Coordinates of all heavy atoms in Angstrom, one line a residue:
M1 N 0.9 -1.2 0.0 CA -0.1 0.0 0.0 C 0.8 1.2 0.0 O 2.0 1.3 0.6 CB -0.9 0.1 1.3 CG -2.0 -1.0 1.3 SD -3.1 -0.7 2.7 CE -4.2 -2.1 2.4
R2 N 0.4 2.2 -0.7 CA 1.1 3.5 -0.7 C 0.2 4.7 -0.4 O -1.0 4.6 -0.8 CB 1.7 3.9 -2.1 CG 2.9 2.9 -2.6 CD 4.1 3.1 -1.8 NE 4.6 4.5 -2.0 CZ 5.4 4.7 -3.2 NH1 5.8 3.9 -3.9 NH2 5.8 6.0 -3.3
V3 N 0.7 5.5 0.5 CA -0.2 6.7 0.9 C -0.1 7.8 -0.2 O 1.0 8.0 -0.8 CB 0.4 7.4 2.2 CG1 -0.4 8.7 2.5 CG2 0.2 6.3 3.3
V4 N -1.2 8.2 -0.8 CA -1.2 9.3 -1.8 C -1.6 10.6 -1.3 O -1.1 11.6 -1.9 CB -2.2 8.9 -3.0 CG1 -1.6 7.6 -3.8 CG2 -3.7 8.7 -2.5
C5 N -2.3 10.7 -0.3 CA -2.7 12.0 0.4 C -3.4 11.8 1.6 O -3.7 10.5 2.0 CB -3.3 13.0 -0.6 SG -5.1 12.4 -0.9
R6 N -3.7 12.8 2.3 CA -4.5 12.7 3.6 C -6.0 13.1 3.3 O -6.2 14.0 2.3 CB -4.0 13.6 4.6 CG -2.6 13.2 5.0 CD -2.2 13.9 6.4 NE -0.9 13.5 6.8 CZ -0.7 12.3 7.5 NH1 -1.8 11.6 7.8 NH2 0.5 12.0 7.9
V7 N -6.9 12.5 3.9 CA -8.2 12.9 3.9 C -8.3 14.4 4.2 O -7.7 14.9 5.1 CB -9.1 12.1 4.9 CG1 -10.5 12.7 5.0 CG2 -9.2 10.7 4.7
G8 N -9.0 15.2 3.4 CA -9.0 16.6 3.5 C -8.2 17.4 2.6 O -8.2 18.6 2.4
D9 N -7.1 16.6 2.1 CA -6.2 17.3 1.1 C -7.0 17.6 -0.2 O -6.5 18.5 -0.9 CB -5.1 16.4 0.8 CG -3.9 16.4 1.8 OD1 -4.1 17.2 2.7 OD2 -3.0 15.5 1.6
V10 N -8.0 16.9 -0.5 CA -8.8 17.1 -1.7 C -10.3 17.4 -1.3 O -10.9 16.5 -0.7 CB -8.8 15.8 -2.6 CG1 -9.5 16.1 -3.9 CG2 -7.4 15.4 -2.9
A11 N -10.7 18.6 -1.7 CA -12.1 18.8 -1.3 C -13.1 18.1 -2.0 O -12.8 17.6 -3.2 CB -12.3 20.3 -1.5
D12 N -14.3 17.9 -1.6 CA -15.5 17.2 -2.3 C -15.7 17.9 -3.6 O -15.8 19.2 -3.8 CB -16.7 17.2 -1.5 CG -17.7 16.4 -2.1 OD1 -17.5 15.6 -3.0 OD2 -18.9 16.4 -1.6
G13 N -15.6 17.2 -4.7 CA -15.9 17.7 -6.2 C -14.6 18.1 -6.8 O -14.7 18.7 -7.8
C14 N -13.5 17.9 -6.1 CA -12.1 18.3 -6.7 C -11.1 17.2 -7.0 O -11.5 16.0 -6.6 CB -11.6 19.4 -5.6 SG -12.5 20.9 -5.4
V15 N -10.1 17.6 -7.5 CA -9.1 16.7 -7.9 C -7.7 17.2 -7.6 O -7.5 18.5 -7.6 CB -9.2 16.3 -9.3 CG1 -9.1 17.5 -10.2 CG2 -8.1 15.2 -9.8
K16 N -6.7 16.4 -7.2 CA -5.4 16.9 -7.0 C -4.4 15.8 -7.7 O -4.5 14.7 -7.6 CB -5.2 16.7 -5.5 CG -3.8 17.0 -4.9 CD -3.6 16.8 -3.4 CE -2.3 16.9 -2.9 NZ -1.9 18.4 -2.7
R17 N -3.4 16.5 -8.3 CA -2.3 15.8 -8.9 C -1.3 15.3 -7.8 O -0.9 16.1 -7.0 CB -1.7 16.6 -10.0 CG -0.4 15.9 -10.6 CD 0.1 16.8 -11.7 NE 1.5 16.4 -12.0 CZ 1.7 15.9 -13.2 NH1 0.7 15.8 -14.1 NH2 3.0 15.5 -13.6
V18 N -0.9 14.1 -7.8 CA 0.2 13.6 -6.9 C 1.2 12.9 -7.5 O 0.9 12.0 -8.5 CB -0.6 12.6 -5.8 CG1 0.4 12.0 -4.9 CG2 -1.6 13.5 -5.0
E19 N 2.4 13.0 -7.1 CA 3.6 12.4 -7.7 C 4.2 11.4 -6.7 O 4.5 12.0 -5.6 CB 4.6 13.3 -8.4 CG 3.9 14.1 -9.5 CD 4.9 15.0 -10.3 OE1 6.1 14.7 -10.1 OE2 4.5 15.9 -11.1
L20 N 4.3 10.2 -7.1 CA 4.8 9.2 -6.2 C 5.9 8.5 -6.8 O 5.9 8.2 -8.1 CB 3.9 8.2 -5.8 CG 2.8 8.5 -4.8 CD1 2.0 7.3 -4.6 CD2 3.2 9.1 -3.5
D21 N 7.1 8.3 -6.2 CA 8.1 7.5 -6.9 C 7.7 6.1 -7.4 O 6.9 5.5 -6.6 CB 9.3 7.1 -5.8 CG 10.1 8.5 -5.6 OD1 10.1 9.4 -6.4 OD2 10.9 8.5 -4.6
G22 N 8.0 5.8 -8.5 CA 7.6 4.5 -9.0 C 6.2 4.5 -9.8 O 5.8 3.5 -10.3
Y23 N 5.6 5.6 -9.8 CA 4.3 5.7 -10.5 C 4.2 6.8 -11.5 O 4.9 7.8 -11.3 CB 3.2 6.0 -9.4 CG 2.9 4.9 -8.5 CD1 3.7 4.6 -7.3 CD2 1.8 4.1 -8.7 CE1 3.4 3.6 -6.5 CE2 1.6 3.0 -7.9 CZ 2.4 2.8 -6.8 OH 2.1 1.7 -5.9
A24 N 3.4 6.6 -12.4 CA 3.1 7.7 -13.4 C 2.5 8.8 -12.5 O 1.8 8.4 -11.4 CB 2.2 7.4 -14.5
P25 N 2.3 10.1 -12.9 CA 1.5 11.0 -12.1 C 0.1 10.6 -11.8 O -0.5 10.1 -12.7 CB 1.6 12.3 -12.9 CG 2.9 12.2 -13.8 CD 3.1 10.7 -14.0
L26 N -0.4 10.8 -10.7 CA -1.7 10.3 -10.3 C -2.6 11.4 -10.1 O -2.2 12.6 -9.7 CB -1.5 9.5 -9.0 CG -0.7 8.4 -9.0 CD1 -0.6 7.8 -7.6 CD2 -1.1 7.3 -10.0
A27 N -3.9 11.2 -10.3 CA -5.0 12.2 -9.9 C -5.8 11.6 -8.9 O -6.3 10.4 -9.1 CB -5.8 12.5 -11.3
V28 N -5.9 12.3 -7.8 CA -6.9 11.8 -6.7 C -8.1 12.6 -6.7 O -8.0 13.9 -6.6 CB -6.1 12.0 -5.3 CG1 -7.0 11.4 -4.2 CG2 -4.7 11.4 -5.5
F29 N -9.2 12.0 -7.0 CA -10.5 12.6 -6.9 C -11.3 12.4 -5.7 O -11.3 11.3 -5.1 CB -11.4 12.1 -8.1 CG -10.8 12.3 -9.5 CD1 -9.8 11.5 -10.1 CD2 -11.1 13.4 -10.3 CE1 -9.3 11.6 -11.3 CE2 -10.5 13.6 -11.5 CZ -9.7 12.7 -12.0
N30 N -12.0 13.4 -5.2 CA -13.0 13.2 -4.2 C -14.4 13.5 -4.7 O -14.7 14.7 -5.1 CB -12.7 14.2 -3.0 CG -13.7 14.3 -1.8 OD1 -14.7 13.5 -1.9 ND2 -13.3 14.9 -0.7
I31 N -15.1 12.5 -4.8 CA -16.6 12.6 -5.4 C -17.5 12.1 -4.4 O -17.5 11.0 -4.0 CB -16.7 11.6 -6.7 CG1 -15.6 11.9 -7.7 CG2 -18.1 11.9 -7.2 CD1 -15.5 13.3 -8.3
G32 N -18.1 13.1 -3.7 CA -19.1 12.9 -2.7 C -18.5 12.2 -1.5 O -18.9 11.3 -0.9
E33 N -17.2 12.6 -1.3 CA -16.5 12.1 0.0 C -16.0 10.6 -0.2 O -15.6 10.0 0.6 CB -17.2 12.3 1.2 CG -17.5 13.7 1.7 CD -16.3 14.6 1.8 OE1 -15.1 14.1 1.9 OE2 -16.4 15.8 1.7
R34 N -16.0 10.1 -1.6 CA -15.4 9.0 -1.8 C -14.2 9.3 -2.8 O -14.2 10.1 -3.5 CB -16.3 8.0 -2.7 CG -17.4 7.4 -1.8 CD -18.0 6.3 -2.5 NE -17.2 5.2 -2.7 CZ -17.4 4.0 -3.2 NH1 -18.7 3.8 -3.6 NH2 -16.5 3.0 -3.4
Y35 N -13.1 8.5 -2.5 CA -11.9 8.9 -3.2 C -11.6 7.9 -4.3 O -11.7 6.7 -4.1 CB -10.6 8.8 -2.1 CG -10.7 9.9 -1.2 CD1 -11.4 9.9 -0.1 CD2 -10.0 11.2 -1.4 CE1 -11.5 11.0 0.8 CE2 -10.0 12.2 -0.7 CZ -10.8 12.1 0.5 OH -10.9 13.2 1.4
Y36 N -11.1 8.4 -5.4 CA -10.8 7.7 -6.6 C -9.4 8.2 -7.1 O -9.0 9.2 -7.0 CB -11.7 7.8 -7.7 CG -13.2 7.4 -7.2 CD1 -14.0 8.4 -6.8 CD2 -13.6 6.1 -7.5 CE1 -15.3 8.0 -6.4 CE2 -14.8 5.8 -7.1 CZ -15.7 6.7 -6.6 OH -17.0 6.4 -6.2
V37 N -8.6 7.1 -7.5 CA -7.2 7.5 -8.0 C -7.1 6.9 -9.4 O -7.5 5.7 -9.6 CB -6.1 6.9 -7.2 CG1 -4.7 7.3 -7.8 CG2 -6.3 7.5 -5.8
T38 N -6.7 7.8 -10.2 CA -6.4 7.4 -11.7 C -5.1 7.9 -12.2 O -4.6 8.7 -11.4 CB -7.5 7.9 -12.7 OG1 -7.2 9.2 -12.9 CG2 -8.9 7.7 -12.4
D39 N -4.6 7.4 -13.3 CA -3.5 8.1 -13.8 C -3.9 9.6 -14.1 O -5.1 9.8 -14.4 CB -3.0 7.5 -15.2 CG -2.1 6.3 -14.8 OD1 -1.6 6.1 -13.7 OD2 -1.8 5.5 -15.8
D40 N -2.9 10.5 -14.0 CA -3.2 11.9 -14.2 C -3.3 12.3 -15.7 O -3.9 13.2 -16.1 CB -2.4 12.9 -13.4 CG -2.8 14.3 -13.6 OD1 -4.0 14.6 -13.3 OD2 -1.8 15.1 -13.9
T41 N -2.5 11.7 -16.5 CA -2.2 12.0 -17.8 C -3.2 11.4 -18.7 O -3.4 10.2 -18.9 CB -0.8 11.6 -18.3 OG1 0.1 12.0 -17.5 CG2 -0.5 12.0 -19.7
C42 N -3.9 12.3 -19.5 CA -4.9 11.9 -20.5 C -4.4 10.9 -21.4 O -3.2 11.0 -21.9 CB -5.4 13.1 -21.2 SG -6.7 12.8 -22.5
T43 N -5.2 9.8 -21.8 CA -4.6 8.9 -22.7 C -4.5 9.4 -24.3 O -4.1 8.6 -25.0 CB -5.5 7.6 -22.6 OG1 -6.8 8.0 -22.9 CG2 -5.3 7.0 -21.2
H44 N -5.1 10.6 -24.4 CA -5.1 11.2 -25.8 C -3.7 11.8 -26.1 O -3.1 11.3 -27.0 CB -6.2 12.1 -26.0 CG -6.3 12.7 -27.3 ND1 -6.4 14.0 -27.6 CD2 -6.2 12.2 -28.6 CE1 -6.4 14.2 -28.9 NE2 -6.3 13.1 -29.5
V45 N -3.3 12.8 -25.3 CA -2.0 13.3 -25.5 C -1.5 13.5 -24.2 O -1.5 12.5 -23.3 CB -2.0 14.7 -26.3 CG1 -0.7 15.2 -26.6 CG2 -2.8 14.6 -27.5
D46 N -1.1 14.6 -23.6 CA -0.3 14.7 -22.4 C -0.9 15.7 -21.5 O -0.2 16.2 -20.6 CB 1.2 15.0 -22.6 CG 2.0 13.8 -23.1 OD1 1.6 12.7 -22.8 OD2 3.0 14.1 -23.6
A47 N -2.1 15.9 -21.4 CA -2.9 16.9 -20.6 C -3.0 16.3 -19.2 O -3.0 15.0 -19.0 CB -4.2 17.2 -21.0
S48 N -2.9 17.2 -18.2 CA -3.1 16.8 -16.8 C -4.5 16.8 -16.5 O -5.2 17.9 -16.5 CB -2.3 17.7 -15.9 OG -2.8 17.5 -14.5
L49 N -5.2 15.7 -16.2 CA -6.6 15.6 -15.8 C -6.9 16.5 -14.6 O -8.0 16.9 -14.4 CB -7.1 14.2 -15.8 CG -7.1 13.5 -17.2 CD1 -7.4 12.1 -17.0 CD2 -8.0 14.3 -18.2
A50 N -5.9 16.6 -13.8 CA -6.1 17.4 -12.5 C -6.4 18.9 -12.8 O -7.0 19.6 -12.0 CB -4.9 17.3 -11.6
E51 N -6.1 19.3 -14.1 CA -6.4 20.6 -14.5 C -7.8 20.7 -15.4 O -8.2 21.6 -15.9 CB -5.3 21.2 -15.4 CG -4.1 21.3 -14.6 CD -2.8 21.8 -15.4 OE1 -3.1 22.2 -16.5 OE2 -1.7 21.7 -15.0
G52 N -8.4 19.6 -15.4 CA -9.8 19.4 -16.0 C -10.8 19.9 -15.1 O -10.6 20.4 -14.1
T53 N -12.0 19.6 -15.8 CA -13.2 20.0 -15.0 C -14.1 18.7 -14.6 O -14.1 17.7 -15.3 CB -14.2 20.9 -15.7 OG1 -14.3 20.3 -17.0 CG2 -13.4 22.2 -16.0
I54 N -14.8 18.7 -13.4 CA -15.4 17.5 -12.8 C -16.9 17.8 -13.0 O -17.3 18.9 -12.4 CB -15.0 17.2 -11.5 CG1 -13.4 16.8 -11.5 CG2 -15.8 16.0 -11.1 CD1 -12.9 16.7 -10.1
E55 N -17.7 17.0 -13.6 CA -19.1 17.1 -13.4 C -19.7 15.8 -13.0 O -19.5 14.8 -13.7 CB -19.8 17.5 -14.7 CG -19.5 18.8 -15.3 CD -20.0 19.1 -16.6 OE1 -21.3 19.3 -16.7 OE2 -19.3 19.0 -17.7
G56 N -20.1 15.7 -11.7 CA -20.7 14.3 -11.3 C -19.4 13.4 -11.1 O -18.4 13.8 -10.5
D57 N -19.4 12.3 -11.8 CA -18.3 11.4 -11.7 C -17.5 11.3 -13.0 O -17.0 10.3 -13.3 CB -18.8 10.0 -11.3 CG -19.8 9.4 -12.1 OD1 -20.2 10.0 -13.2 OD2 -20.2 8.2 -11.8
V58 N -17.6 12.4 -13.8 CA -16.9 12.5 -15.1 C -15.9 13.6 -15.1 O -16.2 14.8 -14.6 CB -18.0 12.6 -16.2 CG1 -17.2 12.8 -17.5 CG2 -18.9 11.3 -16.3
V59 N -14.7 13.4 -15.5 CA -13.6 14.5 -15.7 C -13.5 14.7 -17.2 O -13.5 13.9 -18.1 CB -12.4 14.1 -15.1 CG1 -11.7 13.0 -15.6 CG2 -11.5 15.3 -15.2
T60 N -13.4 16.1 -17.5 CA -13.4 16.5 -18.9 C -11.8 17.1 -19.0 O -11.4 17.9 -18.2 CB -14.3 17.7 -19.3 OG1 -15.6 17.1 -19.1 CG2 -14.1 18.0 -20.6
C61 N -11.2 16.5 -20.0 CA -9.8 16.9 -20.2 C -9.7 18.4 -20.6 O -10.5 18.8 -21.4 CB -9.2 16.0 -21.3 SG -7.5 16.5 -21.7
P62 N -8.6 19.2 -20.1 CA -8.6 20.6 -20.5 C -8.1 20.9 -21.9 O -8.3 21.9 -22.5 CB -7.6 21.0 -19.5 CG -6.7 20.0 -19.2 CD -7.6 18.7 -19.2
F63 N -7.5 19.8 -22.6 CA -7.0 20.1 -24.0 C -8.0 19.9 -25.0 O -8.3 21.0 -25.8 CB -5.9 19.1 -24.2 CG -4.6 19.6 -23.7 CD1 -4.5 20.5 -22.7 CD2 -3.3 18.9 -24.1 CE1 -3.3 20.9 -22.2 CE2 -2.1 19.3 -23.7 CZ -2.1 20.4 -22.8
H64 N -8.7 18.7 -25.2 CA -9.6 18.5 -26.4 C -10.9 17.9 -25.9 O -11.7 17.5 -26.7 CB -9.0 17.5 -27.4 CG -7.6 17.8 -27.7 ND1 -6.4 17.1 -27.2 CD2 -7.0 18.9 -28.4 CE1 -5.3 17.7 -27.6 NE2 -5.7 18.7 -28.4
R65 N -11.2 18.2 -24.6 CA -12.5 18.0 -24.0 C -13.0 16.5 -24.1 O -14.1 16.1 -24.0 CB -13.6 18.7 -24.8 CG -13.2 20.3 -25.1 CD -13.2 21.1 -23.7 NE -14.6 21.2 -23.1 CZ -14.7 21.5 -21.8 NH1 -13.7 21.8 -21.1 NH2 -15.9 21.5 -21.3
G66 N -11.9 15.6 -24.2 CA -12.2 14.1 -24.0 C -12.7 14.0 -22.5 O -12.4 14.8 -21.6
R67 N -13.7 13.0 -22.4 CA -14.2 12.7 -21.0 C -14.0 11.4 -20.6 O -14.1 10.4 -21.3 CB -15.7 13.2 -21.0 CG -15.9 14.5 -21.5 CD -17.3 14.9 -21.8 NE -18.2 14.9 -20.7 CZ -19.4 14.3 -20.6 NH1 -19.8 13.6 -21.5 NH2 -20.1 14.3 -19.5
F68 N -13.8 11.2 -19.3 CA -13.6 9.8 -18.6 C -14.5 9.7 -17.4 O -14.7 10.7 -16.6 CB -12.1 9.7 -18.2 CG -11.1 9.8 -19.2 CD1 -10.5 11.0 -19.5 CD2 -10.7 8.6 -19.9 CE1 -9.5 11.1 -20.5 CE2 -9.7 8.7 -20.9 CZ -9.1 9.9 -21.2
H69 N -15.0 8.5 -17.2 CA -15.8 8.1 -16.0 C -14.7 7.8 -14.9 O -13.9 6.9 -15.0 CB -16.7 6.9 -16.3 CG -17.4 6.4 -15.2 ND1 -17.3 5.1 -14.6 CD2 -18.3 7.1 -14.4 CE1 -18.1 5.0 -13.6 NE2 -18.7 6.1 -13.5
I70 N -14.8 8.7 -13.9 CA -13.7 8.6 -12.9 C -13.6 7.2 -12.1 O -12.5 6.7 -12.0 CB -13.8 9.7 -11.9 CG1 -13.6 11.1 -12.6 CG2 -12.9 9.7 -10.7 CD1 -14.1 12.3 -11.9
P71 N -14.7 6.6 -11.6 CA -14.5 5.3 -10.9 C -14.0 4.2 -11.8 O -13.3 3.5 -11.3 CB -16.0 5.1 -10.5 CG -16.6 6.4 -10.3 CD -16.1 7.2 -11.5
S72 N -14.4 4.1 -13.1 CA -13.9 3.0 -14.0 C -12.8 3.3 -14.8 O -12.1 2.6 -15.4 CB -15.1 2.6 -14.7 OG -15.3 3.5 -15.7
G73 N -12.5 4.8 -15.1 CA -11.5 5.2 -16.0 C -12.0 4.9 -17.5 O -11.2 5.3 -18.4
K74 N -13.1 4.6 -17.7 CA -13.6 4.3 -19.1 C -13.8 5.7 -19.9 O -14.3 6.7 -19.4 CB -15.0 3.7 -19.1 CG -15.0 2.2 -18.5 CD -14.4 1.3 -19.4 CE -14.6 -0.2 -18.8 NZ -13.7 -1.2 -19.4
V75 N -13.5 5.6 -21.1 CA -13.7 6.9 -22.1 C -15.2 7.0 -22.1 O -16.0 6.0 -22.4 CB -13.1 6.6 -23.4 CG1 -13.5 7.7 -24.3 CG2 -11.7 6.5 -23.3
V76 N -15.6 8.2 -21.9 CA -17.1 8.6 -22.0 C -17.2 9.3 -23.4 O -18.4 9.0 -24.0 CB -17.5 9.6 -20.9 CG1 -18.9 10.1 -21.1 CG2 -17.5 8.8 -19.5
S77 N -16.3 10.1 -23.8 CA -16.4 10.7 -25.2 C -15.1 11.0 -25.6 O -14.1 11.2 -24.9 CB -17.2 12.0 -25.1 OG -16.7 12.9 -24.2
R78 N -14.8 10.9 -26.9 CA -13.5 11.0 -27.6 C -13.2 12.4 -27.7 O -14.1 13.2 -27.6 CB -13.6 10.5 -29.0 CG -13.8 8.9 -28.8 CD -13.6 8.1 -30.2 NE -13.6 6.7 -29.9 CZ -13.2 5.9 -30.8 NH1 -12.8 6.3 -32.0 NH2 -13.2 4.6 -30.7
P79 N -11.9 12.8 -28.1 CA -11.0 11.9 -28.8 C -10.3 10.8 -28.1 O -9.7 9.9 -28.8 CB -10.1 13.0 -29.3 CG -10.1 14.1 -28.5 CD -11.5 14.2 -27.9
P80 N -10.1 10.8 -26.8 CA -9.3 9.5 -26.3 C -10.0 8.2 -26.7 O -11.2 8.2 -26.7 CB -9.4 9.8 -24.8 CG -9.8 11.2 -24.5 CD -10.5 11.6 -25.7
K81 N -9.2 7.3 -27.0 CA -9.7 5.9 -27.4 C -9.4 4.9 -26.2 O -10.1 4.0 -26.1 CB -9.1 5.5 -28.6 CG -9.3 6.1 -29.8 CD -8.7 5.8 -31.0 CE -8.9 6.6 -32.2 NZ -8.1 6.3 -33.5
C82 N -8.3 5.2 -25.4 CA -8.0 4.2 -24.4 C -8.5 4.8 -23.0 O -8.5 5.9 -22.7 CB -6.4 4.2 -24.4 SG -5.7 3.5 -25.9
D83 N -8.9 3.8 -22.2 CA -9.3 4.1 -20.9 C -8.1 4.5 -20.0 O -7.0 4.2 -20.3 CB -10.1 2.8 -20.2 CG -11.3 2.5 -21.0 OD1 -11.9 3.3 -21.6 OD2 -11.6 1.2 -20.8
L84 N -8.5 5.1 -18.9 CA -7.5 5.5 -17.9 C -7.3 4.4 -17.0 O -8.1 3.7 -16.6 CB -8.0 6.7 -17.0 CG -7.9 8.1 -17.3 CD1 -8.7 9.0 -16.4 CD2 -6.5 8.5 -17.6
R85 N -6.1 4.3 -16.6 CA -5.7 3.3 -15.5 C -6.3 3.8 -14.2 O -6.2 5.0 -13.8 CB -4.2 3.1 -15.3 CG -4.0 2.1 -14.2 CD -2.4 1.8 -14.1 NE -2.1 0.9 -13.0 CZ -1.0 0.5 -12.7 NH1 0.1 0.9 -13.4 NH2 -0.9 -0.4 -11.7
T86 N -7.0 2.9 -13.5 CA -7.5 3.2 -12.1 C -6.8 2.4 -11.1 O -6.2 1.3 -11.4 CB -8.9 3.0 -12.1 OG1 -9.2 1.7 -12.4 CG2 -9.7 3.8 -13.1
Y87 N -6.9 2.9 -9.9 CA -6.2 2.2 -8.7 C -7.3 1.7 -7.7 O -8.2 2.5 -7.5 CB -5.2 3.0 -8.2 CG -4.1 3.2 -9.2 CD1 -4.2 4.3 -10.1 CD2 -2.8 2.6 -9.1 CE1 -3.3 4.7 -11.0 CE2 -1.9 2.9 -10.1 CZ -2.0 3.8 -11.0 OH -1.0 4.2 -12.0
V88 N -7.1 0.7 -6.9 CA -7.9 0.4 -5.8 C -7.4 1.3 -4.7 O -6.3 1.4 -4.4 CB -7.6 -1.2 -5.6 CG1 -8.5 -1.5 -4.1 CG2 -8.0 -2.1 -6.6
V89 N -8.5 1.9 -4.1 CA -8.3 2.9 -3.0 C -8.9 2.5 -1.8 O -10.0 2.0 -1.8 CB -8.9 4.3 -3.5 CG1 -8.7 5.3 -2.4 CG2 -8.2 4.8 -4.8
E90 N -8.2 2.8 -0.7 CA -8.8 2.6 0.7 C -8.6 3.9 1.5 O -7.5 4.5 1.2 CB -8.2 1.4 1.5 CG -8.6 0.0 0.8 CD -8.2 -1.2 1.5 OE1 -7.6 -1.0 2.7 OE2 -8.3 -2.2 0.9
V91 N -9.4 4.2 2.4 CA -9.1 5.2 3.4 C -8.8 4.5 4.7 O -9.6 3.8 5.3 CB -10.3 6.2 3.5 CG1 -10.1 7.1 4.6 CG2 -10.5 6.9 2.1
L92 N -7.6 4.7 5.2 CA -7.2 4.1 6.4 C -6.9 5.3 7.4 O -5.9 6.0 7.2 CB -5.9 3.3 6.3 CG -6.1 2.1 5.3 CD1 -4.7 1.3 5.1 CD2 -7.1 1.1 5.8
G93 N -7.7 5.5 8.4 CA -7.6 6.6 9.3 C -7.8 7.8 8.5 O -8.8 8.1 7.9
D94 N -6.8 8.8 8.6 CA -6.9 10.0 7.8 C -6.0 9.9 6.5 O -5.7 11.0 6.0 CB -6.5 11.2 8.7 CG -5.1 11.2 9.0 OD1 -4.4 10.2 8.8 OD2 -4.6 12.3 9.4
E95 N -5.7 8.7 6.1 CA -4.8 8.6 4.8 C -5.7 7.9 3.8 O -6.4 6.9 4.1 CB -3.6 7.8 5.1 CG -2.7 8.5 6.2 CD -1.4 7.7 6.6 OE1 -1.5 6.4 6.5 OE2 -0.4 8.4 6.7
V96 N -5.4 8.5 2.6 CA -5.9 7.8 1.3 C -4.8 7.0 0.8 O -3.7 7.5 0.4 CB -6.3 8.7 0.4 CG1 -6.9 8.2 -0.9 CG2 -7.4 9.7 1.0
V97 N -5.0 5.7 0.6 CA -3.9 4.8 0.1 C -4.3 4.0 -1.2 O -5.6 3.8 -1.4 CB -3.5 3.8 1.2 CG1 -3.0 4.4 2.4 CG2 -4.6 2.7 1.5
I98 N -3.4 3.6 -2.0 CA -3.7 2.8 -3.1 C -3.1 1.4 -2.7 O -2.1 1.3 -2.1 CB -3.2 3.3 -4.4 CG1 -1.7 3.7 -4.4 CG2 -4.0 4.5 -4.9 CD1 -1.1 3.9 -5.8
V99 N -3.9 0.4 -3.1 CA -3.6 -0.9 -2.8 C -2.7 -1.5 -4.1 O -3.3 -1.4 -5.1 CB -4.8 -1.8 -2.5 CG1 -4.4 -3.2 -2.4 CG2 -5.6 -1.2 -1.4
E100 N -1.5 -1.9 -3.7 CA -0.7 -2.4 -4.9 C -0.9 -3.9 -5.1 O -1.4 -4.6 -4.2 CB 0.8 -2.1 -4.5 CG 1.0 -0.6 -4.4 CD 2.3 -0.4 -4.0 OE1 2.8 -0.6 -2.8 OE2 3.2 0.2 -4.7
Ligands
FES1 S1 -5.2 15.5 -24.4 FE1 -7.1 14.9 -23.4 S2 -8.6 14.8 -24.9 FE2 -6.7 15.5 -26.0

């Protein structure tokens, strides 16, 4: 398990970019006080999804408006063709961790 942030580091409805050794940049989402972690880099080009916009459980890429379902990483609308990698997340005490 790796700690990605603390509960409270990401407000409800927001996203934070996190860099951990050994991982691609990560995006930590708080959706209704549930935490989700995906790769931060859009699968289309190199945009940071942490700079995108969130509506419900969908994030819109800031570059070409591709959209991803945050919990599953699935593409909702193109141009991206490949889904985002997602991570199994647990909240332990006040820490958000990903399960390796
Ligand atoms: S870089 Fe994300 S949609 Fe193009």
Side-chain angles (χ1 to χ4, degrees):
M1 292 187 179
R2 292 287 299 272
V3 175
V4 292
C5 68
R6 293 190 178 280
V7 169
D9 284 351
V10 187
D12 188 7
C14 295
V15 56
K16 175 186 176 75
R17 178 183 164 107
V18 173
E19 296 189 13
L20 293 180
D21 287 345
Y23 289 85
L26 301 174
V28 182
F29 296 88
N30 177 347
I31 308 296
E33 301 299 345
R34 288 195 63 178
Y35 289 86
Y36 300 92
V37 178
T38 71
D39 279 346
D40 181 53
T41 304
C42 181
T43 60
H44 181 226
V45 190
D46 282 338
S48 169
L49 294 173
E51 297 175 13
T53 55
I54 299 169
E55 291 178 78
D57 60 3
V58 172
V59 61
T60 300
C61 178
F63 276 17
H64 311 107
R65 313 291 296 163
R67 299 166 74 225
F68 297 92
H69 180 238
I70 294 164
S72 67
K74 299 280 186 197
V75 173
V76 173
S77 61
R78 293 189 173 196
K81 295 178 182 172
C82 297
D83 298 335
L84 275 179
R85 180 176 180 180
T86 60
Y87 297 82
V88 176
V89 176
E90 292 185 10
V91 176
L92 300 176
D94 70 344
E95 294 179 329
V96 179
V97 303
I98 51 176
V99 180
E100 298 174 290

